[in-house]
Amino acid sequence: MVIAELNYYEELFSVRNKIVLVTGASRGIGFELATNFCKAEAHVIGIGRTEKIKSNNFDYISADITKRNDLINIGETISSKHDKLNIIVNSAGISSSPLINDNNYDFDKILKTNLTAVYECCVTMLDYIKDGGSIINITSIASYFGFPENPGYISSKGGLSALTRSLAFDLSRRKIRVNNIVPGYIQTSMTSDSFNDIDLRKQRESRMLINRWGQVGDLVGAAIFLASDASSYITGADIVVDGGWSIKGL
């Protein structure tokens, strides 16, 4: 009985032999997700702008997802080596905090990377993803709230959240599910300045019901769930992984 139940749960949450594309896979959240999909016995293609990465157990392609030709080449490479994709994880993202009226702040670059490139990736990969597949977008609690000195990041993540709902509607005819993982404060190179500032770190931790910063590994369970048959009736939804930060009242 115990063995039968274990096999049931293993199959329900299984991504074994699934073909998974992960953008932003050279570091941070994307690297962690790509690595753990491999541990779950999926076949993973990781994409990143870094030319080479030191340690990985997945196929890695150096490419710039803001360039349509790079996306087309990625699709053709996948088609030549694998069956069609089952899962796309859009994890690539950038951030920059300007001063007020900073003329050097590249608002367009942030939107192009965090929002437009995700749309282009999804559209380009439609020829290479199976009906019944799953697309997982990594947004942020910044898609819900206002934060200071980060207009490009907040706008891009808010737009990405809305894009997910739009794509969930449009791709439902192919039974492709599209969902968001919504991280809170996760310790990565992107958040290192505020994490290393003791006052800022404590300020952020004071709102967390689970009283610690998130680690990239905290997002793995949500990603496996959304990629697997366990979430087969979920689309256009948000899974918030923020230690309770966003729901704390007084």
Side-chain angles (χ1 to χ4, degrees):
M1 178 66 73
V2 173
I3 293 174
E5 288 179 354
L6 181 60
N7 289 340
Y8 168 74
Y9 287 114
E10 285 182 343
E11 290 303 315
L12 182 63
F13 291 93
S14 176
V15 293
R16 187 181 299 113
N17 296 324
K18 300 287 189 182
I19 311 300
V20 184
L21 176 67
V22 181
T23 71
S26 61
R27 58 186 175 182
I29 291 170
F31 181 86
E32 184 76 10
L33 295 180
T35 299
N36 280 278
F37 270 111
C38 283
K39 290 179 181 178
E41 300 183 45
H43 299 293
V44 180
I45 304 99
I47 308 300
R49 288 183 298 178
T50 303
E51 186 174 345
K52 293 181 180 179
I53 55 178
K54 291 182 179 180
S55 175
N56 68 283
N57 52 2
F58 53 88
D59 294 335
Y60 180 76
I61 301 172
S62 177
D64 185 345
I65 63 167
T66 66
K67 297 178 180 178
R68 188 168 180 80
N69 285 340
D70 280 14
L71 289 172
I72 292 171
N73 290 336
I74 291 166
E76 291 175 349
T77 298
I78 292 169
S79 181
S80 68
K81 293 183 178 181
H82 301 279
D83 194 2
K84 284 192 173 183
L85 292 166
N86 301 104
I87 300 149
I88 299 172
V89 182
N90 288 302
S91 180
I94 60 172
S95 180
S96 177
S97 298
L99 300 173
I100 298 298
N101 298 324
D102 184 352
N103 292 326
N104 294 317
Y105 182 63
D106 201 336
F107 186 91
D108 289 341
K109 181 179 179 180
I110 296 173
L111 259 66
K112 186 174 183 180
T113 302
N114 295 2
L115 178 57
T116 306
V118 175
Y119 171 76
E120 293 287 350
C121 182
C122 290
V123 170
T124 303
M125 295 302 155
L126 284 180
D127 288 337
Y128 305 103
I129 186 170
K130 287 184 176 180
D131 290 359
S134 174
I135 297 175
I136 303 166
N137 294 327
I138 309 299
T139 62
S140 167
I141 53 172
S143 64
Y144 297 154
F145 304 104
F147 291 93
E149 298 183 354
N150 220 343
Y153 187 77
I154 293 168
S155 298
S156 66
K157 293 300 184 178
L160 180 55
S161 180
L163 176 64
T164 293
R165 293 187 288 276
S166 177
L167 290 176
F169 199 113
D170 292 340
L171 299 183
S172 63
R173 63 178 68 94
R174 289 185 51 186
K175 297 181 172 58
I176 295 172
R177 299 179 297 109
V178 191
N179 292 289
N180 291 319
I181 293 176
V182 186
Y185 286 99
I186 307 294
Q187 187 181 353
T188 66
S189 58
M190 187 182 292
T191 60
S192 60
D193 287 346
S194 56
F195 182 82
N196 292 330
D197 184 313
I198 301 299
D199 291 336
L200 284 177
R201 187 198 309 173
K202 288 183 176 179
Q203 182 185 66
R204 284 150 174 73
E205 287 175 352
S206 70
R207 284 192 59 90
M208 298 172 188
L209 299 181
I210 299 173
N211 192 228
R212 64 171 177 82
W213 276 56
Q215 303 298 311
V216 288
D218 291 320
L219 303 175
V220 172
I224 295 292
F225 171 65
L226 289 176
S228 71
D229 290 342
S231 60
S232 62
Y233 198 54
I234 298 175
T235 194
D238 291 346
I239 294 184
V240 181
V241 187
D242 70 347
W245 190 97
S246 60
I247 59 91
K248 186 174 182 180
L250 294 176

